[in-house]
Amino acid sequence: MAAHTHASHADHAHGGGHHGSYLERKGGLLTTIWDWATTVDHKKIGVMYLFAILFMFFLGGVAALAVRLELFEPVRVLADGKITGQFFGPADATNINAGNNIYNRLFTLHGAIMVFMVIVPSVPASLGNFFLPIMIGAKDVAFPRLNLLSWYVYVLGSIFAVCSIILGGVDTGWTFYTPYSTTTDADHIKVVFMVLSAFILGFSSILTGLNFVVTIHKLRAPGMGWFDMPLFCWAVYSSAIIQVLATPVIGITLLLLAFERIFRIGIFDPALGGDPVLYQHFFWFYSHPVVYVMILPGMGIISEVLAVHAHKQIFGYRAIAFSSLGIAAVSFIVWGHHMFTSMSELASAVFSALTFLVAIPTAVKMFNWIVTLYKSSISINAPMLYVLAFLFLFAIGGLTGLPLGTLSTDLHLHDSYFVVAHFHYVMMGGTIMALMAGMHHWWPKMFGKAYNEKAAMLGCVIVFIGFNITFMTQFFLGTQGMPRRYASYIDEFHTLHQWSTIGSGIILIGFLIHLFVFLASLAVGRKAEQNPWGGLTLEWTIPSPPIEHNFEHEPIVKHGPYDFDSVLPPTWDPADYPVPNPSAGGRPAVAHSPEPKD
Amino acid sequence: MSTLSSSSGKSFWQRYVHASHFRSAAEEFDAVKLGFWLFLTTEVLLFGGIFCAYFIFRTLYPDAWREGSHLLDWRLGGLNTAVLLISSYTMAMSIYCVQKGYFTRAKWNLFITLLCGAAFIFIKIAYEYIPKWSVGKRPGALFDYPFAEHAQLPLWWSVYYCGTSIHAAHVLIGMVLIARVLYRTHKGYYGPTHYTMVEVTGLYWHLVDLIWIFLFPLLYLIH
Ligand code: HEM
Ligand SMILES: [Cu+2]
């Protein structure tokens, strides 16, 4: 930190440029690029993360569409010996495996990119980076240069993944299960590249998580106790703790896997006395907790967006805050539910029982959100639509986790399309919907531009419909016996697979609309107000887009984040304020203004 | 980027206030320490994986493990333990000296710490890795030692090499950090009111020690 020091606070307030928007250009194109590439401003880093992640989301999405296209037709051998239905590879009987091979590489590519490069960093590294410090009234995260480093480490990790793809891709699945992952493409470096990519991305994840934990502990503004924090901060805090505690384990696992491939050390190789199941334990010891790294920040967004657009005090603040910590704690002891088939019956039963515990804090959140909505005055707009989509889809995703956690049913559902549908409902229906809710909610704040509400709502509806067509069908495919990770299937599944592929096309259309809406907003959007939704958290007390140091003066927090009953949102005219205050029998009387410190 | 107060003639640590997003130097110090403790936790968990593998295979193949640990010379391990313990003491002393402003003593202590680190690596490579590797005591499929009594001996060497080499890598990183602190102490960066980096480097070095304190008995002493 030594280089980033200053002599006195007074210096600062009078220094040039600090009052301008953080987006203000400092000079020509090259200067601007250099300025961004070396910035330690958490807002710029958040924006750079956002674009990097969206780019990877695009790459992962292309792979997904390709996978769905292959599955549009089953592979059939016709009477004359011809093969039809292979989207990948030449359709001759001698070469049928070429198509399968490409298929395996594409779904691995899709899974690895979406998990390690999109969902895990998605919310915390982009929106979290941008808004966490502002929401607790800080000028920056605790370690700004570490924050920039984490972005570069992320990019480096992604480059490793792209190299692996260019070298021909990997066919191990995103889970890299041994012994397959240690023997496939035996003489080739590409698997090592992919494994190292995940290893490197782990560092970026640890750095971000560590930074957030310290920021929340040390940099809250005066007056902001732990229970005055917006729930988004609680959620990011809980997931940051998981990131710090779980990621090192995948680090050593992937390192051992790389050693295994390069030197054949045999730790996971049964031929040398090693144990491939040990790999699975290590892997899921990280990867189950990490599913909560994926979802918790998303849940934080939902708490935030839902309360603001329902203009109502969130129901059960403490229950939501503690359920985040509860989820984080329980997530460390349920990993075995991914490997019921490779453990003793007793161990399976224990893990099954523990798995059900996770459902409790999750349900606590769901009920609190629904009660918050009850009798509130809901604004229907794109962020709120995405919140509703989240509630609906995540409920399905969570509930279908229960039959998977039950031994007798999981025996049949394991490794089937039911699992695929389950985790898409939680990861895409949960995290991505929350990310979209947050992006629309905070877009005007981040870029100072409004977006076209109607078009965004249309996009949301289309994504929602497409999503359900794509993945609802897969629950049925799974229960009927369609196994995951196959390029071909029997004719009975043809219709459902076709629907699923059609659904994926609809999702694509929805996201293209969003892309267009966002680009149009950047190019020609009207200037956004400081507080378009009537929020009460600190980010709405500062201009859109924020100034370089976030606040002119250190804010002093005088009310809770969701006191909609008693506090008028900053910059709001009482005449426009949509909710009559029930307790005072009229509109809120106390005008809020952030008071400067003297 | 850095705007130190301009009074010339003073050392860096005397002019240093704190990074602008912190309210005070004390707050910054606390934050860095908290962050560093979290980082140390991740290191412990990283080695946790190795220890876990060690115990699992020890339970599965107790005989191979016994044979393996007899093949290690406890005197070399003990010597390295002593070297690291001395270095831990000098590291702690150097923090104390910087806090008190005894810069010459601080630098000597840092220098000795650095030497101990180098000695550790030297003993490890010259007296352990090279002799063992050359007679075929190698990990996994590379194993080529004709007198092995148990089939799983290669696995023992895998755990041995993974554990000690990842630890040695940490020693090297620690040495780089100490060299940097030494250089910066020489340049007057640290002093009684500003010694955060000296302190966290010390924490890191103690952790590296601590991990060896666990590796040593597990690999060399328990039969
Ligand atoms: C209500 C809580 C949840 C329960 C009870 C639950 C339960 C399960 C179980 C038992 C499996 C293993 C199924 C099998 O392979 O046979 C599974 C798979 C999976 N779950 Fe969940 N889950 C829950 C929430 C989540 C969340 C929130 C996420 C992510 C955001 C998630 C992501 C996944 C993924 C990615 C897999 C599949 C991994 C693979 O094999 O590739 N789950 N879940
Ligand atoms: Cu799980």
Side-chain angles (χ1 to χ4, degrees):
Chain A
M1 276 350 63
H4 190 65
T5 57
H6 78 134
S8 76
H9 291 284
D11 256 74
H12 218 54
H14 301 295
H18 289 137
H19 295 280
S21 143
Y22 81 100
L23 289 172
E24 213 168 79
R25 281 179 156 222
K26 302 263 152 41
L29 184 64
L30 279 181
T31 328
T32 311
I33 292 178
W34 181 248
D35 180 46
W36 279 77
T38 57
T39 184
V40 290
D41 180 350
H42 68 100
K43 299 184 286 303
K44 287 185 179 163
I45 296 172
V47 170
M48 293 198 298
Y49 252 122
L50 183 66
F51 288 132
I53 288 166
L54 289 178
F55 177 71
M56 295 317 280
F57 184 58
F58 167 76
L59 280 191
V62 171
L65 289 171
V67 165
R68 281 310 326 162
L69 276 179
E70 166 67 52
L71 293 170
F72 194 71
E73 294 287 343
V75 177
R76 284 201 195 89
V77 183
L78 300 181
D80 58 1
K82 270 209 203 124
I83 292 174
T84 64
Q86 276 233 337
F87 180 71
F88 300 133
D92 67 85
T94 51
N95 223 342
I96 186 161
N97 276 331
N100 291 345
N101 193 16
I102 299 177
Y103 178 82
N104 292 347
R105 283 164 208 279
L106 273 165
F107 78 67
T108 303
L109 180 68
H110 164 67
I113 288 189
M114 286 301 195
V115 170
F116 297 115
M117 280 154 257
V118 179
I119 305 253
V120 172
S122 62
V123 175
S126 62
L127 298 176
N129 236 328
F130 197 107
F131 287 105
L132 177 82
I134 301 184
M135 286 174 126
I136 60 169
K139 279 190 201 144
D140 208 320
V141 290
F143 310 118
R145 288 189 298 171
L146 213 56
N147 202 14
L148 181 64
L149 178 68
S150 106
W151 187 77
Y152 278 106
V153 172
Y154 172 83
V155 172
L156 181 73
S158 305
I159 290 175
F160 265 71
V162 171
C163 286
S164 157
I165 299 164
I166 292 172
L167 291 172
V170 175
D171 63 353
T172 58
W174 75 279
T175 49
F176 305 119
Y177 269 18
T178 52
Y180 188 69
S181 61
T182 49
T183 46
T184 178
D185 292 323
D187 321 312
H188 207 290
I189 195 77
K190 54 201 171 193
V191 180
V192 176
F193 262 72
M194 195 53 122
V195 170
L196 286 182
S197 157
F199 177 73
I200 294 169
L201 289 163
F203 278 99
S204 134
S205 188
I206 290 179
L207 294 182
T208 310
L210 188 151
N211 220 334
F212 287 174
V213 173
V214 178
T215 307
I216 291 180
H217 271 274
K218 298 292 174 193
L219 293 183
R220 279 171 288 127
M224 178 163 292
W226 281 88
F227 294 105
D228 304 314
M229 285 198 310
L231 285 166
F232 181 61
C233 304
W234 272 103
V236 171
Y237 179 73
S238 314
S239 80
I241 288 188
I242 308 180
Q243 275 174 301
V244 171
L245 295 185
T247 319
V249 179
I250 195 73
I252 189 71
T253 312
L254 294 175
L255 208 55
L256 290 177
L257 187 58
F259 286 166
E260 180 85 55
R261 273 198 72 98
I262 302 171
F263 305 114
R264 289 207 50 219
I265 56 172
I267 288 191
F268 302 131
D269 182 355
L272 290 163
D275 184 1
V277 178
L278 180 63
Y279 174 83
Q280 294 185 19
H281 279 291
F282 277 176
F283 183 84
W284 289 113
F285 182 80
Y286 160 80
S287 290
H288 184 82
V290 97
V291 305
Y292 291 98
V293 170
M294 306 174 195
I295 195 66
L296 276 170
M299 291 170 156
I301 292 185
I302 298 303
S303 303
E304 228 42 64
V305 178
L306 182 137
V308 171
H309 295 270
H311 307 278
K312 191 164 159 216
Q313 172 85 32
I314 194 122
F315 183 83
Y317 173 94
R318 282 187 189 230
I320 298 186
F322 282 122
S323 65
S324 293
L325 292 179
I327 289 180
V330 179
S331 71
F332 279 98
I333 49 173
V334 301
W335 79 89
H337 65 216
H338 293 273
M339 30 193 307
F340 285 148
T341 46
S342 45
M343 289 188 304
S344 74
E345 269 174 32
L346 177 67
S348 298
V350 171
F351 274 119
S352 169
L354 290 172
T355 297
F356 294 134
L357 283 183
V358 179
I360 298 171
T362 316
V364 165
K365 281 183 194 289
M366 283 305 271
F367 288 127
N368 280 312
W369 289 325
I370 292 169
V371 175
T372 307
L373 288 178
Y374 180 66
K375 285 197 172 169
S376 64
S377 72
I378 300 176
S379 320
I380 290 295
N381 47 30
M384 192 67 198
L385 278 190
Y386 266 113
V387 169
L388 297 178
F390 172 97
L391 293 180
F392 187 78
L393 301 179
F394 188 76
I396 296 179
L399 288 174
T400 52
L402 298 178
L404 293 177
T406 312
L407 291 180
S408 51
T409 38
D410 183 62
L411 221 56
H412 301 280
L413 298 173
H414 178 60
D415 262 348
S416 78
Y417 259 64
F418 193 90
V419 176
V420 178
H422 157 71
F423 67 69
H424 281 91
Y425 265 82
V426 280
M427 304 216 289
M428 182 160 178
T431 309
I432 296 291
M433 296 297 137
L435 176 69
M436 294 302 286
M439 273 181 75
H440 284 95
H441 180 69
W442 280 313
W443 183 271
K445 179 58 65 187
M446 286 202 282
F447 299 104
K449 297 278 179 84
Y451 61 86
N452 185 325
E453 195 63 67
K454 290 234 167 61
M457 283 164 71
L458 177 70
C460 174
V461 170
I462 293 179
V463 168
F464 181 78
I465 294 173
F467 178 88
N468 280 299
I469 296 180
T470 311
F471 295 108
M472 188 65 84
T473 42
Q474 299 186 356
F475 281 124
F476 295 104
L477 281 170
T479 46
Q480 290 172 14
M482 172 77 204
R484 62 192 283 204
R485 296 180 170 170
Y486 279 80
S488 53
Y489 50 84
I490 53 175
D491 286 349
E492 278 83 338
F493 300 140
H494 195 184
T495 321
L496 285 172
H497 266 304
Q498 286 200 325
W499 274 109
S500 186
T501 302
I502 293 169
S504 65
I506 300 179
I507 300 180
L508 173 69
I509 296 173
F511 277 117
L512 286 178
I513 294 180
H514 284 307
L515 179 67
F516 180 75
V517 168
F518 284 141
L519 289 180
S521 158
L522 287 182
V524 297
R526 110 188 118 72
K527 189 170 170 9
E529 301 91 333
Q530 177 172 323
N531 190 2
W533 320 115
L536 283 180
T537 38
L538 286 172
E539 76 269 31
W540 307 110
T541 64
I542 58 174
S544 308
I547 59 170
E548 216 175 298
H549 282 271
N550 300 349
F551 302 95
E552 299 268 352
H553 305 275
E554 182 168 55
I556 298 177
V557 182
K558 294 189 173 156
H559 58 75
Y562 312 108
D563 290 346
F564 293 99
D565 299 341
S566 51
V567 184
L568 185 68
T571 72
W572 270 52
D573 185 342
D576 303 334
Y577 194 57
V579 251
N581 180 359
S583 51
R587 297 180 188 288
V590 202
H592 166 100
S593 61
E595 259 158 60
K597 189 171 104 175
D598 32 335
Chain B
M1 193 156 132
S2 68
T3 46
L4 293 162
S5 56
S6 51
S7 43
S8 54
K10 285 189 184 170
S11 295
F12 181 94
W13 62 271
Q14 287 163 315
R15 287 174 289 138
Y16 184 83
V17 185
H18 53 84
S20 68
H21 58 291
F22 289 106
R23 278 171 288 248
S24 66
E27 192 185 71
E28 176 173 41
F29 181 70
D30 283 352
V32 175
K33 266 187 94 163
L34 175 62
F36 211 80
W37 276 106
L38 284 172
F39 169 70
L40 294 185
T41 317
T42 68
E43 291 280 19
V44 170
L45 285 160
L46 184 92
F47 280 96
I50 301 267
F51 286 121
C52 195
Y54 171 92
F55 281 113
I56 287 171
F57 292 123
R58 187 187 170 81
T59 331
L60 286 177
Y61 314 120
D63 297 334
W65 250 232
R66 200 167 302 122
E67 185 189 353
S69 76
H70 277 296
L71 293 174
L72 293 179
D73 187 345
W74 68 270
R75 284 163 303 185
L76 288 173
L79 180 61
N80 258 346
T81 311
V83 166
L84 279 192
L85 283 177
I86 294 171
S87 77
S88 249
Y89 171 76
T90 53
M91 187 69 227
M93 278 313 287
S94 63
I95 299 172
Y96 169 80
C97 291
V98 171
Q99 285 170 342
K100 291 284 172 192
Y102 309 148
F103 296 115
T104 320
R105 268 176 66 195
K107 280 185 274 180
W108 274 111
N109 274 302
L110 284 170
F111 184 66
I112 297 173
T113 317
L114 210 52
L115 278 188
C116 287
F120 178 92
I121 296 288
F122 176 74
I123 294 171
K124 193 89 228 156
I125 293 180
Y127 295 102
E128 298 227 50
Y129 284 165
I130 293 180
K132 291 195 177 71
W133 193 275
S134 56
V135 296
K137 297 170 180 169
R138 299 178 203 149
L142 300 171
F143 184 79
D144 189 20
Y145 182 61
F147 312 107
E149 286 164 20
H150 297 94
Q152 288 86 19
L153 198 61
L155 210 56
W156 156 270
W157 290 113
S158 298
V159 172
Y160 168 81
Y161 279 106
C162 287
T164 55
S165 67
I166 295 177
H167 175 262
H170 281 75
V171 173
L172 287 176
I173 297 170
M175 287 170 65
V176 172
L177 291 178
I178 291 171
R180 178 169 177 271
V181 165
L182 177 57
Y183 173 76
R184 293 193 134 205
T185 310
H186 182 66
K187 288 285 171 190
Y189 267 72
Y190 310 120
T193 56
H194 176 58
Y195 51 85
T196 318
M197 272 322 284
V198 191
E199 171 122 3
V200 296
T201 303
L203 282 177
Y204 184 80
W205 193 252
H206 293 321
L207 178 91
V208 171
D209 267 14
L210 190 70
I211 288 167
W212 179 255
I213 297 290
F214 278 94
L215 281 175
F216 169 59
L218 288 181
L219 294 173
Y220 293 77
L221 298 184
I222 305 178
H223 293 317

